[in-house]
Amino acid sequence: MQFEGLIFDLDGTLADTMPAHYLSWREITQKHGLKFSEDRFYSLGGVPTSRIFSLLADEQGVSLDPGACAIEKEETFISYLGEVGPIEPVLDVVRENYGKVPMAVATGAMHWVMERILNQLDIHHYFTAFVSSEDTVRHKPFPDVFLEAARRLGVPAEKCCVYEDAQLGIEAGQAAGMHVVDVRDFHTPRRITAGA
C-alpha cells in the first residue's frame, strides 16, 4: 500500500532518548521519594510526564506538584541531550521519503522538549507538522495525537503509517485506523539498570 502520510513518534522512535530519559526520571523521582523502575518507565512510554508524576504520587502516597516535577524532570533530561543520537533505521525511512510524502512528528513530549531534540539531531526540516502533549487533551493510548497529526498533514487517517516504539503508542495508532510499524522489531534501547 502506498501511504500518503507518515507519522513518527519521537522518543525511542526517531531519537534514541530512552536511556537519557530514564536517567533523568531516576534522578528526580529519587529526589522526591518515589520509586520508578526501568520496566515501569518503558510500560508508560507515550504518557505525558506530569501524568506519570500524578500516577506515581497517588500510588505511593507522596505529595508533590506534578507540573513542577515534570518541568524539573525535563530540564534534567536536557542536561543529558548530548548523549542522544538518532535511530538510524527510522531516519533512513525519513530521508527516503523526504519531499515525496508529507511527514509529521506526534509525541507525548512537551513542545519545547520536542524542539530541542529535533534540533539536536538536525532533523526538524524533514517534517511539516508537529503535535506535542499540549496539542491534545487525551494522550496515548487514545488516538488523538495521531489523528491531529493526520489533520495537520491534510491526509486521511487510514492513508497514514505510524512509526512507534511503545505499546500505548501502538494502540493509539491502531485506534486511529492507521498502519503501525513497531520500531522495537529492529531497535532495542540500551538499558540503564542491570538485569532489567
Side-chain angles (χ1 to χ4, degrees):
M1 178 182 177
Q2 186 61 47
F3 296 109
E4 294 178 15
L6 298 179
I7 303 172
F8 297 85
D9 171 53
L10 179 57
D11 292 296
T13 299
L14 286 167
D16 195 7
T17 53
M18 299 313 266
H21 272 298
Y22 185 65
L23 286 169
S24 55
W25 267 111
R26 192 167 65 173
E27 198 173 310
I28 303 307
T29 51
Q30 285 174 356
K31 178 181 168 184
H32 290 281
L34 294 169
K35 291 183 174 62
F36 192 36
S37 72
E38 196 164 7
D39 284 340
R40 184 79 192 280
F41 160 71
Y42 276 102
S43 77
L44 291 170
V47 177
T49 306
S50 60
R51 247 181 66 210
I52 294 174
F53 273 112
S54 291
L55 186 69
L56 295 175
D58 288 348
E59 288 172 356
Q60 297 175 39
V62 173
S63 179
L64 51 75
D65 177 342
C69 288
I71 290 167
E72 195 178 355
K73 183 262 155 187
E74 297 304 348
E75 286 172 346
T76 304
F77 166 70
I78 293 299
S79 72
Y80 290 106
L81 205 50
E83 298 177 24
V84 171
I87 295 176
E88 286 299 342
V90 181
L91 257 290
D92 289 343
V93 174
V94 171
R95 292 185 195 105
E96 284 165 23
N97 288 281
Y98 180 55
K100 301 174 193 166
V101 180
M103 295 184 285
V105 176
T107 177
M110 297 179 199
H111 187 86
W112 71 273
V113 177
M114 172 189 72
E115 292 284 337
R116 290 289 293 270
I117 296 168
L118 293 172
N119 290 329
Q120 159 82 11
L121 298 180
D122 194 25
I123 60 173
H124 196 286
H125 61 282
Y126 288 120
F127 305 97
T128 54
F130 305 88
V131 183
S132 56
S133 65
E134 298 94 330
D135 295 320
T136 62
V137 173
R138 299 189 308 173
H139 302 101
K140 302 168 186 177
F142 292 103
D144 305 34
V145 66
F146 294 131
L147 293 172
E148 179 60 19
R151 189 189 71 75
R152 292 182 184 190
L153 288 176
V155 176
E158 66 276 10
K159 295 190 175 169
C160 290
C161 178
V162 170
Y163 284 76
E164 249 294 352
D165 71 301
Q167 190 56 41
L168 294 176
I170 287 162
E171 291 170 20
Q174 291 167 340
M178 299 176 181
H179 180 79
V180 181
V181 174
D182 188 343
V183 173
R184 295 173 299 184
D185 290 342
F186 50 85
H187 175 76
T188 303
R190 173 176 60 90
R191 286 293 187 120
I192 302 302
T193 49

